[in-house]
Each structure stands twice: as C-alpha cells, then as structure tokens.
Amino acid sequence: PTPPGNGGPGNTISLSPKISEDGINIFYPDVFQVNQPVSFAITAGNNSLKSVTWQQSSGPQLNFLAANSQLISFDIPAAGTYNLELRVLTQANITITKSLSFSAVESPNALVSVRLDHTAVEQAKVSLRVDSSAQASNKTISSISWQQTAGPAAVELSTNEHYLFFTAPNVTQDTLLEFTAKINFSDSSTGSDSSFVLVKNANINSEGYFPKYAERIVSPDVFAFNPQGKYAAALVDCVYNNQISSSCSFGKLPLLGKEHINPSINDVLDRLVVSHQWMGERFKQFLEQSATSDDMLKLLRATTAIVIAYDVRPSFYWSATGAIYLDAANFWVSPQERDTLNDQPDYRSEFGKELRFTLPWRYVKNNQYYIRNSDYPVADRLTRSFSALEGSASWLMYHELGHANDFFPPNSWSSLSSSSSPLSYSNQADPSSTGFSQTYPLMSDEMQALAQVSFAGKSASSYQKSLQATDVVSFFTPDRAPDYYCYSTERENYATLFGHFMMAYRLGVSADVAIISSVDNDELNVTWGQRNRVNSSDIQPRVRAVVNDIFPQLNVAQIQANLPKPELMKVGVDWFSNVDLSPSPTSANIQAKKAAYQPVDPADYWLAFPVQPRTPEQ
C-alpha cells in the first residue's frame, strides 16, 4: 500500500448534507450500488442528540447492526427501492422523524468495498479495511492507496496491507470524515470506494480512569443490553465512559455474587454493556449453548459487569471497576458482525522483535487446531460456527474470570460492604495471586526479565539480544510455568494456570507452547515444544492451589489424574506440522502448515492475551 494522503494541508473540505432541516443534517452517498456498503449519518450542528433510531420500512431486507447510532452502514443486497425511517430525540426533548428513500442499481464495475463506515469518538483509534469485491475475485491486486477526501485531517494515518489506521481528530461538534481507497489491479483496471467516519465531540475527563490509567478514549455509543435491568442506569456510568474518576460503591453496583449465589443467564445479562446489539445476542447465545455455561455463571459472580465493545482491544479485567472487558472479535459469527469491529493492531505487536526467539502458544483438540482465526480470512466473508465462537470466547473468559476471582475470591463476597468499592477493597486486600506467588514462586529470573521485554515493551539488553532459542530452553523447561505469559506478572501467572486447566477439564482442549528460533528459520522449526505442560507433575500442585481458591467444589487432584499427560513436540519439525503429535500424522491434520503465519492474529499467538490497566489512585 502507498502512504495515505490528505486532501490538503490542515483541514480538508467539509461534506455537504443531503438534508439540512429541523436542526439536523443527514448525509448519504450519491449512488447506491448492489453489494456495496453504504451509510447514512446524522449530525446536529453544535448540539448533541439524546437518541437516534433507524428502521427500515420497505424494500429488500437490510442488515444494519448499529440501529441506535448516528451512523448506520450496510451492504445493499438487491436492486430496488428502499425506505428508511429515522427518529431523533434532541437534548431539548424534541422528537424529529424523517422518511428517507433511495434506489439501488446493479453495477458490474463495483469492484472495491471499504468497510465499515461507523462512529468514533475524538482521539479514538480508528480502522478501515478495503477489499476487492466478489466481482473482482479473478483479479490480482497490484497496489492500494488511501486518501482522506473530507473532514478535518485525521492524525497518525498509517496503512498495513488492506487496512487504514488513524486517530480521530479533536472536533468541536460531531463531524463527518470521508476516506477513499483505490485499488490498482494487475490487468491495469482500477476500482475505488469511499467510507464515512462520524467523529463525535465528547466531554473527556483527562483525569478520568480510562483516559489516564487505561490510556484509551472509549466509545460513547455503549448501552445496557437489558434496558429494563435493575442496574441499567448505573452500568455505563460505573464501568465504561470517559468521565469515570472514582470507583462506584457496591451499594450502587454490587458484585453479582453478592446478590445471587446461583445467578441465572438473565441475571448476568442485566450486567451486560455492549456497543452493538449483536454482541449481547451472541454473548447470550454463548451462555445458553456452551458446555462452559455453568462454569461461567459461577465465575461471573466475582464481577460487577461485563463490557463487550468494538473498541475493547485487547481484553482486560480491571479492579478499578470490578468489570471484565471483552474484545468483540471473540464473539462474531457473520461477516457483517465482524465488519463492526475495530482492527487496530494490538499495541504489543512490536514488543520483543529484537529477541532471537519466539514462544508461540495455541489450543488444540484431537491433534488439530481448536482456535485459529486465520481460518477466516476477512476478504472471504465467511460465517463462523457456534463451536468456533465457543472456542474463541471460552479461553478468553476463563482467563479474565480467573483475574476477577483472584481479586474477589468466593470467600470475600458476603463480607463486602455496600459503602466499599472494587478499588477500595482491592487496595486493602491482596489478591489471592500474591500469596500464591509467595508459596509457589517461579524461579527463572531470566524468563521474568525476558517477559518484560515481550509483554511490557521494555528494551532488550545486549545480553538478551544475544540469547538463542537453546538458551531459553535451559531457562524455561526446568521451571514451573506452563506458558511464557505466566512470567509477565503474578496476576497473569495465576489466571493462565486457571485458564489452561479449565480448558483441558471442561472442553478437552490442550495447550501447546514452543520455543522457536526467529533467526534464519522461516519454516518455524521447533527447538523445543510441549503439549499439556499444565498437567506436568511439577506444575500440578500450582494448578491445584489456584483452582481450589476459585472452584473449591472441584476435586482437582482426581481431575488431574484423568487429564492427558505432557507430550513433547518433534524437534526440528515446524510449528504447524507439530499440531499433530500422533504416531502417524495424516496429511489432513497437517493442513495447518499451509496456513499463513499470522503472529498478531488473536487466539493464534500469545499477543492475544489480555492485559490489566494501571490501578488508579484511590
């Protein structure tokens, strides 16, 4: 891709609304073509809006997944006339309704699609993606270029393959930006498409928890999934906005376990915050259908809320709010749902690049990949099965809820005062992982120091840069960590042990870890690797201690006796082929070797692991 450009120095041109009346401005494109993504956006000048609702009244069925947003985007399925109904509630409690109509036409020249037009808050990280459409499937892309064509200049524009990344500019009122992507094909033909991003003016507290300690500006377009729930009014105020500067008391938003010993799915959904309705529906489906559901309902008792939003990346648990924050990339099923996600790369993706080795990880089952996002190339617009959703969501939630139950173990729930808060309690009571790490410490100082390079972004020393994969084998294998990430912090050590055990116990899924040289090793041949390391005899006592803290009702020793024993990988064989450790692996099971190596693809590599923001000052 060529570097992105702006239409001119400073600000670019402003877009003119198609409709400007009753104090609102409505924007939409000039042309509507079948199989192309299009959008409608609304602004209200210097004023903000209380609510926006879009509905379709006639025409072939549209699928817009942000019906309560100021900008909706959708693909046009067929030629014909479409009618939309817009309902707006202003800050002055004035209701405005508009009927909008457009006609779509077939176009064999619609070769390029940019997805997805959406809203973003000022200073937020934004991503757009361009692909050649189905009509261009027999064409080869030779180059891609991006141009900002309208709106105040975006900040920190960059490209990565098909993606455009930028930071939304500061604005004094809700403002529409436009970007155009052009693709040159090898047969000298070209195609282009444009996309809107509505940047929302926001009241951001620079001393607020999210801007200051989580170092992120969060979306204002989140809402309680159950608007009639007992805590609907408190959820967003307490767990996800740019104003939060104190931890809500348990009197305002208590732990789920304080109120419900055996919570129902509806009890959990009453604590759910989402940025898109589909995220809540998929989370509900997960709780209703997953083999892990009973575990999750119990584990969720240690939380105040669950947030699933397009701009949560990477996932995290935060003792400041008592909530877990889940990357919605773990829950999508349809390509339209996936379109709504933010594809900004994990900020840790460049950490540790100067080291001469990698320690990849993965989950496998029956000698095949259990989770692998690279099976779903974005451009192919595939639909995921529920089993894929279950795998992607289960490992993440076991890990995050391991954190939540570390800070708020079951024996703490009944004693929590309504005047206390998640932050005040966690500042006064050490999490279980503190005592655990004193009793069951990890011994390798070298691995601890290397983890700070790989996971915390510290600069590698000359000594660390000189280490070979064989050196790391001598550091890692005698110690008692099942995974490299265990060395990042005491908290991650605790949650990773719990997650690996629960995936093996409940879903029959094994965890792999390997040490691979990154020097002259394009095939990614394994220097050392092991499956089911979490069930090795020297790690089993550590696992029992963690699981007994969180799930005292389980007979962990008996479960461990029935779990698979550790199994070494084949040295000198590549990471992909090592997915099948059976005595006579089949070519079908080794098909993973043919997949492109995507180290920053969530659930394919360690970079998908969650993080914890800094703890705010009390």
Side-chain angles (χ1 to χ4, degrees), residues 492-534:
E492 300 300 351
N493 179 24
Y494 190 88
T496 300
L497 285 164
F498 179 72
H500 282 354
F501 171 83
M502 293 304 298
M503 290 294 286
Y505 163 53
R506 186 63 70 196
L507 294 171
V509 174
S510 300
D512 281 358
V513 61
I515 299 170
I516 298 175
S517 173
S518 56
V519 179
D520 298 326
N521 186 22
D522 292 341
E523 288 293 310
L524 299 176
N525 293 323
V526 170
T527 302
W528 173 93
Q530 192 172 39
R531 179 165 298 169
N532 296 310
R533 181 172 171 82
V534 75

Side-chain angles (χ1 to χ4, degrees), residues 247-251 416-422 424-425 428:
S247 186
C248 283
S249 72
F250 289 123
L416 295 174
S417 166
S418 61
S419 61
S420 182
S421 70
S424 64
Y425 177 86
Q428 295 166 5

Side-chain angles (χ1 to χ4, degrees), residues 99-222:
S99 295
L100 305 170
S101 178
F102 67 91
S103 295
V105 297
E106 297 279 359
S107 176
N109 298 317
L111 303 178
V112 172
S113 297
V114 176
R115 293 184 172 90
L116 186 70
D117 310 52
H118 63 283
T119 65
V121 66
E122 57 185 346
Q123 302 179 37
K125 304 295 184 181
V126 183
S127 68
L128 293 171
R129 179 183 171 91
V130 64
D131 285 301
S132 57
S133 57
Q135 298 97 315
S137 59
N138 61 338
K139 293 176 177 285
T140 300
I141 296 173
S142 58
S143 66
I144 300 172
S145 60
W146 290 88
Q147 186 84 9
Q148 181 177 354
T149 48
V155 183
E156 299 174 336
L157 282 85
S158 65
T159 61
N160 181 4
E161 298 299 329
H162 290 233
Y163 290 101
L164 173 71
F165 303 117
F166 62 91
T167 299
N170 287 311
V171 295
T172 57
Q173 61 185 30
D174 295 350
T175 304
L176 205 61
L177 278 56
E178 184 181 48
F179 298 87
T180 299
K182 179 181 178 182
I183 293 182
N184 295 307
F185 297 100
S186 55
D187 63 1
S188 298
S189 63
T190 64
S192 64
D193 189 30
S194 297
S195 181
F196 290 154
V197 175
L198 178 61
V199 178
K200 300 186 70 170
N201 180 33
N203 186 12
I204 298 170
N205 177 7
S206 62
E207 295 298 309
Y209 283 0
F210 282 95
K212 184 174 182 178
Y213 298 102
E215 298 177 351
R216 64 182 73 194
I217 306 299
V218 302
S219 170
D221 291 332
V222 296

